[in-house]
Amino acid sequence: MSCADVTVLKLNTKGTKVRRDIELALPRSFYARDPVRVAHELLGKILVRRGAKSIRTARVVEVEAYLRERDLAAHSAAGQTLRNAVLFGPPGHAYVYFIYGNHYCLNISCEPEARAGCVLVRALEPLLGVEEMARARQIQLKDTSTGELKRLTSGPGRLAEAFGITRSGDNGADLTDTKSGLWVTRSDFKVDKIIATPRIGITKSADLPLRFVIAGNPFVSGKKTILPRQGCL
DNA sequence: ATATCGATTATCT
DNA sequence: GATAATCGATATG
């Protein structure tokens, strides 16, 4: 499973490391669709953060869709404000907001023409740059077991911290342009089954089944018994 | 194992 | 002034 995707860095004939899919961001057309569709297809894709001399990647394993119509939990529900302006812009941009005085959360705008739907990224499976994620989270990893890695990126606030995502730094970033330093790329990973559940932590429109997770993936947020797993580093 | 609660601040009413 | 798309710590069975 996860170990296979670490080979997004492969060796060419000269033995030099070359980047394959990582440098190709998903196109804007991917995001210019309804949020439920985008949410589904985002599962299994890979979020990439490039710094000056480092790269962090992780697989998307949990998302939530927020709709423009009949969804009172969406930040866009009450219309455009300064905070949510990105949602009313073109698709494929990062909407980053600050919550509970502590955490940032990453959304991706979707739908054509300012319809203000989006997808919240809720959990990732760490792939490359695990040590930098741990640094960003100020966590000392005891090992590379699933249980330890899960602490890095399992939850919207956690993954934002692990990837160094902030409102000042990333709100409005174009995720279809690798020059932004933050983008999403394709993966050969096959998502066998998607499970839909109500969304987490909301009070309005709380019954809609708009949270989507990769069935059985241990990096999905929430408490759960972790099966023992061999380290990946 | 689950339950409850405090932290901390941008944003909106 | 109240609320919030969370997290981590503490308490309790």
Side-chain angles (χ1 to χ4, degrees):
Chain A
M1 33 188 256
S2 71
C3 295
D5 251 317
V6 174
T7 59
V8 284
L9 289 183
K10 68 170 186 180
L11 300 180
N12 68 9
T13 53
K14 294 175 187 166
T16 313
K17 278 186 179 179
V18 295
R19 286 173 183 155
R20 197 174 21 166
D21 295 332
I22 278 185
E23 294 293 341
L24 295 175
L26 296 179
R28 199 165 318 283
S29 58
F30 178 90
Y31 301 101
R33 301 177 293 170
D34 82 86
V36 172
R37 184 84 188 280
V38 176
H40 272 84
E41 297 199 16
L42 227 29
L43 292 175
K45 301 293 190 295
I46 294 176
L47 183 69
V48 183
R49 164 63 103 190
R50 182 171 55 207
K53 55 168 199 155
S54 68
I55 197 150
R56 282 168 274 187
T57 72
R59 183 183 344 279
V60 179
V61 300
E62 174 180 347
V63 292
E64 287 177 358
Y66 286 85
L67 314 178
R68 177 60 172 138
E69 310 285 343
R70 289 179 294 283
D71 182 2
L72 297 178
H75 283 186
S76 57
Q80 184 170 349
T81 65
L82 193 58
R83 176 175 72 153
N84 65 20
V86 172
L87 296 178
F88 291 81
H93 287 254
Y95 166 52
V96 181
Y97 66 90
F98 190 59
I99 189 71
Y100 294 117
N102 286 291
H103 310 288
Y104 293 99
C105 294
L106 171 67
N107 298 257
I108 308 178
S109 63
C110 8
E111 300 194 297
E113 300 306 318
R115 291 200 56 222
C118 69
V119 173
L120 168 68
V121 183
R122 283 195 54 89
L124 305 172
E125 173 176 347
L127 296 173
L128 298 177
V130 166
E131 289 169 356
E132 187 169 6
M133 295 181 206
R135 260 198 308 281
R137 293 266 296 125
Q138 306 192 55
I139 280 178
Q140 290 280 350
L141 287 178
K142 298 199 308 280
D143 50 56
T144 55
S145 66
T146 300
E148 281 293 287
L149 294 180
K150 181 170 174 174
R151 298 197 293 148
L152 296 175
T153 51
S154 176
R158 288 171 169 181
L159 73 88
E161 186 171 43
F163 271 62
I165 294 168
T166 63
R167 179 167 166 85
S168 62
D170 300 288
N171 188 51
D174 186 351
L175 301 186
T176 70
D177 184 352
T178 59
K179 288 197 292 293
S180 68
L182 185 67
W183 67 93
V184 183
T185 193
R186 64 171 300 284
S187 169
D188 290 325
F189 184 84
K190 297 300 179 205
V191 178
D192 289 330
K193 186 179 177 187
I194 295 173
I195 294 177
T197 80
R199 294 171 293 184
I200 305 288
I202 58 172
T203 56
K204 291 168 284 191
S205 299
D207 48 331
L208 301 176
L210 293 176
R211 171 176 175 259
F212 306 108
V213 307
I214 297 177
N217 188 290
F219 294 92
V220 166
S221 72
K223 307 173 183 176
K224 207 188 289 185
T225 307
I226 304 292
L227 299 171
R229 169 175 166 279
Q230 196 172 357
C232 208
L233 289 182

